[in-house]
Amino acid sequence: MRTPLCDRLGIDLPIIGFTPSEHVAAALSRAGGLGVLGCVRFNDAAELDRVLTWMDENTGGKPYGVDIVMPAKVPAEGTQVDLAKLIPDGHRAFVDRVLKELSVPPLPDDTDERAGVLGWLHSVARSHVEVALNHPIKLIANALGSPPPDVIGQCHDKGVPVAALAGKAEHAVRHVETGVDFVVAQGYEAGGHTGEIASMVLVPEIVDAVDVPVLAAGGIGSGRQVAAALALGASGVWMGSMWLATEEYLQTMGESVAMQQALVAASSSDTVRTRIYTGKPARLLKTRWTEAWAAPDAPEPLPMPLQNLLVSHAHNRIHAASDPSVVSMPVGQIVGRMNAVRPVADVVAELVSGYEEALSRLDKTR
């Protein structure tokens, strides 16, 4: 399972894994792939610096990357405008009512609540880039497409390639024109922010449209699917959802036991694409929380980052409640294969063995 991408990034396997957990990212890098740490949860640049220092010390000298959330255009945010004042009272009342109806308890008084919204702001994402480039990272990926040109130049000056997610071939072309080095072709099946085109159609379209390496994302959770992605022309795979059901994830997100219980019990039809998480279309696990937002009396989700600000306190309460039926979590349709909580190394080993079995089966058809 080796492609030219491996030589370019200094990895053994063309498996790139996005995760908000440094323990998962480090374990994936040690297993031969490239762990990519999601930075959006870090509101404090100093905290991110501490975590990346931990990554430096716990990847066994293997490469790793980071993922930021930065729009290409610089928005006016939080400086002249108080974002909290832009949230309608009716939306706040709806969230409070739903939490009460779902029996989600208040947070304990001593809870260190995550602010949630700050990591989605452009200025904070820029601070993430500044911090990350002071560490030996091998990739910066942007979940919202191409970063601004000056940020791409800043990364290239440090010898760090840039990856950007794309849900359409024309998006991929624009990314490459701005200087992006890798395109992540993310299909409709994926968790989190996702477009309208399925991976089987999207990946070859983007491979044919650009002259840079393409990573296939969306609906990949087995070696057979890795083989299919490479057969479609991808240079590697980008996986996110599969790492949520790993033992290492709990080492970072200790309150996520209920979330993992919900994921393990879910089928591939138990997800929904909605704007209620961030304001942009994202695929989430279908629960009583998402059903409440789909009810006829629910308000329309607010634009990013207001929606995230609106629901961040609710998400903190939901995580603390440990109730699988109300979990709010981005996850792809591959959740139907996530039937047990396992170590990262076991997931990687199964991907490799499944890939080899798929190639052997195809070889017999010749």
Side-chain angles (χ1 to χ4, degrees):
M1 194 196 286
R2 191 171 184 87
T3 71
L5 178 76
C6 298
D7 296 326
R8 186 164 179 182
L9 294 176
I11 55 181
D12 299 322
L13 304 168
I15 299 172
I16 318 298
F18 163 80
T19 174
S21 164
E22 62 269 25
H23 293 91
V24 172
L28 177 55
S29 289
R30 292 195 302 268
L34 185 78
V36 176
L37 178 67
C39 296
V40 74
R41 71 179 175 94
F42 297 101
N43 298 319
D44 181 358
E47 182 187 3
L48 174 60
D49 187 52
R50 288 192 295 272
V51 169
L52 293 183
T53 298
W54 183 92
M55 291 280 293
D56 299 339
E57 298 168 350
N58 288 274
T59 51
K62 300 295 183 69
Y64 70 91
V66 298
D67 179 274
I68 58 172
V69 178
M70 179 183 290
K73 295 182 179 179
V74 180
E77 50 161 49
T79 51
Q80 301 173 339
V81 177
D82 184 350
L83 294 176
K85 294 179 181 178
L86 300 179
I87 298 177
D89 291 338
H91 281 69
R92 296 185 188 278
F94 172 78
V95 169
D96 290 341
R97 175 171 64 83
V98 170
L99 291 174
K100 183 176 180 179
E101 291 175 351
L102 297 181
S103 300
V104 178
L107 289 171
D109 293 336
D110 59 347
T111 300
D112 183 15
E113 188 167 4
R114 296 174 183 167
V117 69
L118 296 183
W120 297 95
L121 299 183
H122 188 91
S123 56
V124 176
R126 280 185 174 269
S127 74
H128 292 161
V129 173
E130 297 282 350
V131 169
L133 290 177
N134 287 323
H135 292 265
I137 61 170
K138 298 302 181 183
L139 182 72
I140 282 187
N142 187 27
L144 292 182
S146 304
D150 69 295
V151 173
I152 295 176
Q154 188 180 4
C155 296
H156 287 170
D157 288 345
K158 290 278 192 174
V160 177
V162 177
L165 274 67
K168 293 183 178 180
E170 52 262 44
H171 296 166
V173 171
R174 287 203 298 269
H175 295 342
V176 175
E177 290 174 346
T178 62
V180 166
D181 304 282
F182 302 103
V183 173
V184 180
Q186 187 184 50
Y188 175 79
E189 307 95 323
H193 297 128
T194 180
E196 303 276 0
I197 305 173
S199 298
M200 183 65 75
V201 174
L202 180 67
V203 173
E205 282 189 354
I206 289 183
V207 167
D208 291 345
V210 300
D211 59 358
V212 301
V214 174
L215 304 174
I220 299 173
S222 71
R224 283 177 289 171
Q225 290 160 322
V226 175
L230 298 187
L232 292 173
S235 298
V237 297
W238 174 281
M239 297 170 56
S241 296
M242 289 296 293
W243 317 114
L244 296 172
T246 58
E247 295 176 1
E248 288 85 351
Y249 189 85
L250 283 183
Q251 292 180 258
T252 305
M253 310 293 185
E255 77 280 15
S256 297
V257 173
M259 180 270 289
Q260 288 190 331
Q261 292 173 340
L263 296 179
V264 168
S267 71
S268 57
S269 62
D270 291 327
T271 67
V272 61
R273 188 169 172 270
T274 174
R275 293 195 298 114
I276 69 171
Y277 198 77
T278 68
K280 289 183 178 293
R283 186 173 298 283
L284 310 180
L285 186 68
K286 188 186 299 181
T287 66
R288 292 195 294 151
W289 172 252
T290 62
E291 289 172 353
W293 277 94
D297 63 340
E300 284 294 314
L302 301 171
M304 179 187 280
L306 298 182
Q307 181 67 18
N308 186 269
L309 179 59
L310 169 67
V311 298
S312 61
H313 175 69
H315 288 171
N316 287 324
R317 288 177 57 179
I318 286 170
H319 288 313
S322 299
D323 181 355
S325 74
V326 297
V327 164
S328 177
M329 191 67 202
V331 69
Q333 292 178 331
I334 198 64
V335 68
R337 292 191 63 87
M338 297 159 56
N339 299 318
V341 176
R342 300 179 292 164
V344 167
D346 287 2
V347 176
V348 173
E350 186 174 277
L351 290 171
V352 173
S353 63
Y355 172 84
E356 293 171 346
E357 289 170 5
L359 292 191
S360 177
R361 187 165 55 252
L362 288 172
D363 190 57
K364 293 176 182 178
T365 65
R366 292 194 300 172

